Amino acid sequence: MKILRTLICAILFASIHFCLSGQNVDSLMNAGLKLQQKYKFQEAIAVYQKVLDIRPNDPNGMYQKALCHMRNSEPQEALSIFLRLTGVRPDFVGGFYGAATAYSSLENYPKTIEYIEKAMEFEPKNHEYYMVRGQAYANMGDNKRACKDFKTAKKLGNRHAKFSMQKYCK
């Protein structure tokens, strides 16, 4: 009987802790988003770190923290988080897109293309992905491929693609 009572108490404690940590994570995520809206990215990074202290593999916490690093012009820090995210959640397209944009900021265009193509596997009709890959091709001097991607982006509805087309499709 004593063992059963101890077991029930342990389960009850674990359940309460799980519920409270879930509520805490939600309130922390909301606080982080509010800080981002106020362009307080460094403060938001600290909040998202608290989320990750509670749930180390939380994909939204990782993604938002990495985005804040990008907004703070810290692409190397963002990249390490995005890469970790792709490993933890290979079905989370934002990790691949984020890694591609971080690689682009670091001027590693072959890796930009590699990761944006992984994102394209999930969302082949996302015009933004064609813009990212097209810009990477353009930065590598491959205007033919860049032009093709900018045309595809325009076809898919990207309003800014026409400007890139004017520059690279001659």
Side-chain angles (χ1 to χ4, degrees):
M1 189 65 153
K2 187 175 182 181
I3 295 172
L4 181 61
R5 190 173 39 214
T6 304
L7 184 60
I8 291 172
C9 286
I11 291 170
L12 183 60
F13 177 75
S15 298
I16 291 170
H17 177 71
F18 180 77
C19 289
L20 290 177
S21 69
Q23 291 173 342
N24 195 28
V25 166
D26 290 343
S27 64
L28 287 169
M29 288 298 294
N30 287 333
L33 292 171
K34 287 178 184 176
L35 288 167
Q36 284 184 66
Q37 290 171 346
K38 295 176 183 176
Y39 300 94
K40 295 181 176 184
F41 302 112
Q42 199 61 43
E43 292 174 42
I45 289 169
V47 170
Y48 293 127
Q49 184 55 55
K50 289 179 184 176
V51 169
L52 297 174
D53 289 343
I54 296 168
R55 290 190 191 153
N57 293 328
D58 185 275
N60 293 318
M62 284 190 274
Y63 184 71
Q64 293 301 329
K65 182 179 178 188
L67 286 180
C68 289
H69 279 297
M70 288 296 290
R71 295 295 302 265
N72 256 2
S73 299
E74 300 167 342
Q76 191 63 55
E77 289 84 352
L79 178 61
S80 67
I81 298 168
F82 285 132
L83 291 176
R84 183 169 157 246
L85 178 55
T86 63
V88 170
R89 284 285 305 271
D91 60 334
F92 193 88
V93 69
F96 295 104
Y97 175 70
T101 58
Y103 275 125
S104 182
S105 292
L106 295 167
E107 299 180 4
N108 186 336
Y109 303 117
K111 283 289 192 181
T112 300
I113 293 167
E114 177 186 339
Y115 276 84
I116 204 64
E117 287 178 348
K118 289 178 182 183
M120 289 171 148
E121 291 173 16
F122 291 96
E123 299 175 348
K125 295 189 182 206
N126 186 317
H127 59 79
E128 185 61 31
Y129 299 165
Y130 289 91
M131 291 297 291
V132 169
R133 187 173 70 178
Q135 193 59 55
Y137 282 133
N139 288 331
M140 292 170 45
D142 190 342
N143 289 356
K144 184 176 179 181
R145 284 183 174 171
C147 179
K148 183 179 176 191
D149 276 347
F150 295 141
K151 285 180 179 179
T152 301
K154 185 176 184 221
K155 239 186 261 182
L156 293 173
N158 190 291
R159 298 185 321 255
H160 304 288
K162 64 182 176 184
F163 301 112
S164 296
M165 288 171 58
Q166 290 169 355
K167 186 173 182 179
Y168 296 105
C169 299
K170 296 179 182 186

